[in-house]
Amino acid sequence: MELMVKAEGVHKSFGRLEVLKGITLELKPGEVMCMLGPSGSGKSTFLRCINHLEKIDAGRLYVDGTLVGYRQQGDKIYELRESEVAKERAQIGMVFQRFNLFPHMNVLHNVIEAPTRVQGIRREEAVQKARTLLDRVGLADKIDAYPAQLSGGQQQRVAIARALAMEPKLMLFDEPTSALDPELVGDVLDAMRQLAREGMTMVVVTHEIGFAREAGDTLVFMDEGVVVESGDPREVLSNPKHERTQAFLSKVL
Amino acid sequence: MGRWIAAAIVLFVAAALIYSFATNSRVQWGVVGDYLFDARVLRGVRATLELTVVAMAIGIVLGVILAVMRLSPNPIVKSASWLYIWFFRGTPVLLQILFWGIGISALYPKISIGIPFGGPVIASGNANHIITLFVAAILGLGLNEGAYMAEIVRAGIISVDEGQHEAAHSLGMTRLQTMRRIVLPQAMRVIIPPTGNETISMLKTTSLVSVIAYTELLYAVQLIYSVNFKTIPLLIVAALWYLFFTTILSIGQYYIERHYARGSSRDLPPTPLQRLRWAALARREWN
């Protein structure tokens, strides 16, 4: 079976600071991978490399068998044109820590913007789909609201619906609950759990240990730009092998 | 108490000034009234409005293009925009107007459309016929305005959160789609107030084209008072018209700003008209 995400020795530097020092990992379709680690460990940067929001400096990164952001000819790799990168990104959904809804559009327009503009889907069809998706995340009654009129939890669920409207084959979550008040985290995690149950392939950068344990198929622990430990979440969480994992878990659990 | 004293002093000084001006017989208010709606003055008003609208339209379109170019990852596109802004902001607009009005036809008596560097010519004409006074005035004002608008639009684009670009890109939107649909509409909130100022400023700057003898409002009254020597009343006529339109523009700006503030705050403050209406309603309920 083709892998959904395959990283081979991915490197990334910001100036002289090396943030990713050779990340190698694999994710099968339908699986949920949770990435854990102290801040500055490079997990968010790696996530942003998967849809080419950050360019990698070395290594290979494939999504669904295709090189991300580059084209290989013989031994050489060439950066893709902007429109080609956009096409790749259209198939990968992303949810951000700070929601990043479009504040000048109401909820409905946030959700139908990309399907109508990027995929060229008919407006009525996009609206129909948006209603279904918003209903699924429990926000059918907020369809006319502007983002500023919603709570953080509601905004994040709209952001999830917005990403799903593109019918992505892979969903990336960049600390989706970190900016939320504690009592609002549950609704967002519920929406993500439901998505996982429906078989969506997901990469989730998170500090929610509980979510990683229940919903994750693999857990990756990163520190200082490398994968320290990975495997079955229950196994890693209850029986961490590496001392850095043990140290981190002893602080957060 | 101090507030009342300050207010009283201000009111007193203002009243004294207005009184002395209004009752000064040399102002010749009657003459002002005679010429306020004179056909020549009204033609001048129309010319001033045309210049303002067309020059601002050119300025805004150029400004958006230059700002997007300035933020382009392509270094050549970026420097072209920088060079344009450097040149047009670096020289006086009066000089630019003189250049288009007088200099260009001396420099290029014939203007041709065709392949450059000595290629075949498709069409050509006398520069003085192509660059009429109106075209010269528009070029002088519009090209200069483009440079200022570029900086305003750029400031607006930069003010939009980086996360908005990322969200749009992650949905598969291209750079231009992101600009047009996501970033520029949000940048409007920052772009509109200074653009309103630019428009008001442009309305008055159009008076500079009187130097190339284009008959806008100021030149129209100059033509009249050069014959009848009623200089002061005619300058007041022009001033009243400028004030009238800057007032209208300020009101327009208020409502456009409100429109683009949507989504940034939960509730917009009421407009003066709404406040008046509510006050009237409240009074009625009181009684």
Side-chain angles (χ1 to χ4, degrees):
Chain A
M1 188 163 53
E2 190 83 75
L3 291 169
M4 184 55 81
V5 180
K6 186 175 167 200
E8 300 172 347
V10 169
H11 283 260
K12 171 73 192 173
S13 303
F14 293 114
R16 294 172 67 181
L17 180 70
E18 196 175 19
V19 187
L20 300 178
K21 302 168 181 165
I23 304 290
T24 298
L25 46 79
E26 295 179 346
L27 178 64
K28 295 195 192 81
E31 287 194 344
V32 176
M33 177 197 282
C34 292
M35 304 188 80
L36 224 63
S39 61
S41 59
K43 49 196 193 320
S44 283
T45 305
F46 177 72
L47 193 75
R48 292 158 58 83
C49 288
I50 299 178
N51 68 353
H52 206 53
L53 281 181
E54 304 290 354
K55 292 174 191 171
I56 65 174
D57 301 323
R60 295 284 188 276
L61 184 54
Y62 301 90
V63 168
D64 203 15
T66 324
L67 215 50
V68 174
Y70 297 92
R71 174 169 51 87
Q72 185 155 11
Q73 261 177 1
D75 278 348
K76 284 196 164 175
I77 60 167
Y78 300 92
E79 196 172 359
L80 290 181
R81 273 186 290 137
E82 195 214 337
S83 57
E84 295 169 320
V85 175
K87 264 200 202 93
E88 288 191 345
R89 284 191 184 129
Q91 303 172 12
I92 305 172
M94 187 159 192
V95 175
F96 299 85
Q97 181 178 357
R98 312 255 347 138
F99 329 133
N100 295 351
L101 290 181
F102 306 134
H104 59 303
M105 297 180 177
N106 66 20
V107 166
L108 177 67
H109 285 105
N110 263 279
V111 178
I112 66 169
E113 175 69 14
T116 53
R117 301 273 158 183
V118 176
Q119 294 177 323
I121 287 174
R122 277 195 10 260
R123 197 187 139 89
E124 304 86 81
E125 203 181 314
V127 170
Q128 194 56 48
K129 195 160 67 174
R131 284 185 194 285
T132 315
L133 285 168
L134 288 168
D135 195 36
R136 252 173 61 186
V137 295
L139 291 171
D141 55 330
K142 298 290 184 189
I143 201 155
D144 293 320
Y146 280 90
Q149 297 165 321
L150 301 177
S151 73
Q154 292 170 329
Q155 288 192 52
Q156 195 60 299
R157 284 181 283 153
V158 172
I160 293 173
R162 178 176 72 173
L164 290 176
M166 293 294 283
E167 298 182 348
K169 53 190 179 190
L170 169 66
M171 283 284 283
L172 310 175
F173 292 85
D174 189 3
E175 303 198 20
T177 56
S178 299
L180 296 178
D181 290 340
E183 77 270 23
L184 302 174
V185 169
D187 288 339
V188 172
L189 290 181
D190 283 343
M192 290 168 62
R193 273 193 204 99
Q194 191 192 341
L195 199 56
R197 273 199 300 276
E198 288 164 8
M200 176 61 76
T201 317
M202 296 159 60
V203 182
V204 185
V205 170
T206 186
H207 295 299
E208 296 290 331
I209 308 283
F211 177 83
R213 194 198 320 264
E214 301 150 35
D217 295 297
T218 28
L219 189 145
V220 173
F221 177 76
M222 278 182 72
D223 194 16
E224 295 182 353
V226 294
V227 174
V228 175
E229 191 166 348
S230 68
D232 181 83
R234 277 152 293 258
E235 183 62 28
V236 175
L237 288 170
S238 54
N239 223 340
K241 301 219 163 38
H242 202 285
E243 58 182 290
R244 275 195 275 178
T245 322
Q246 290 163 2
F248 178 76
L249 289 177
S250 71
K251 270 181 229 155
V252 294
L253 284 178
Chain B
M1 190 62 193
R3 272 208 306 191
W4 289 104
I5 295 172
I9 294 172
V10 169
L11 278 177
F12 178 77
V13 172
L17 280 173
I18 292 172
Y19 177 79
S20 90
F21 193 69
T23 56
N24 186 335
S25 61
R26 285 180 221 188
V27 171
Q28 296 179 282
W29 287 103
V31 181
V32 172
D34 291 343
Y35 281 99
L36 198 56
F37 298 103
D38 184 280
R40 289 165 290 176
V41 172
L42 290 181
R43 270 200 300 275
V45 167
R46 209 184 125 182
T48 289
L49 291 179
E50 278 172 1
L51 284 174
T52 306
V53 170
V54 179
M56 276 313 291
I58 291 174
I60 290 169
V61 171
L62 262 177
V64 172
I65 294 171
L66 286 164
V68 173
M69 282 172 70
R70 186 84 190 267
L71 295 167
S72 158
N74 183 331
I76 294 179
V77 171
K78 202 185 205 160
S79 351
S81 165
W82 183 88
L83 200 70
Y84 182 99
I85 295 167
W86 172 77
F87 181 79
F88 281 94
R89 271 203 325 184
T91 52
V93 65
L94 184 56
L95 184 153
Q96 290 170 31
I97 291 165
L98 285 170
F99 176 80
W100 291 111
I102 304 161
I104 192 75
S105 52
L107 211 54
Y108 292 102
K110 256 177 90 171
I111 294 177
S112 319
I113 300 173
I115 314 288
F117 310 114
V121 171
I122 296 162
S124 83
N126 186 320
N128 278 327
H129 294 159
I130 297 170
I131 305 200
T132 59
L133 283 181
F134 178 72
V135 174
I138 282 304
L139 284 175
L141 295 169
L143 296 185
N144 182 266
E145 186 57 33
Y148 284 92
M149 282 307 302
E151 290 297 281
I152 290 170
V153 174
R154 191 170 71 103
I157 291 174
I158 290 172
S159 76
V160 177
D161 181 33
E162 188 55 34
Q164 293 290 310
H165 292 262
E166 291 182 351
H169 287 155
S170 77
L171 287 164
M173 298 176 84
T174 60
R175 215 175 75 85
L176 276 181
Q177 274 178 324
T178 303
M179 257 320 154
R180 202 164 50 85
R181 298 286 308 168
I182 308 300
V183 177
L184 280 176
Q186 293 182 59
M188 282 304 173
R189 214 150 37 86
V190 173
I191 293 172
I192 290 292
T195 303
N197 282 337
E198 288 294 307
T199 310
I200 289 169
S201 167
M202 176 62 79
L203 185 83
K204 295 167 294 163
T205 308
T206 54
S207 62
L208 289 181
V209 307
S210 58
V211 295
I212 55 169
Y214 184 75
T215 320
E216 42 62 65
L217 178 54
L218 182 64
Y219 196 59
V221 302
Q222 282 177 336
L223 286 177
I224 301 173
Y225 73 60
S226 66
V227 177
N228 66 10
F229 301 109
K230 299 197 185 298
T231 310
I232 301 292
L234 278 155
L235 286 178
I236 289 174
V237 165
L240 287 174
W241 277 113
Y242 283 120
L243 275 174
F244 175 70
F245 284 109
T246 50
T247 308
I248 300 257
L249 284 173
S250 305
I251 295 170
Q253 183 181 0
Y254 173 81
Y255 282 95
I256 295 173
E257 272 175 33
R258 254 177 85 82
H259 175 80
Y260 282 103
R262 248 181 352 178
S264 63
S265 60
R266 281 157 205 251
D267 287 299
L268 293 169
T271 66
L273 264 179
Q274 284 171 339
R275 241 177 268 156
L276 217 64
R277 205 175 306 140
W278 292 344
L281 278 176
R283 181 156 303 168
R284 205 174 305 154
E285 275 161 23
W286 205 261
N287 293 337

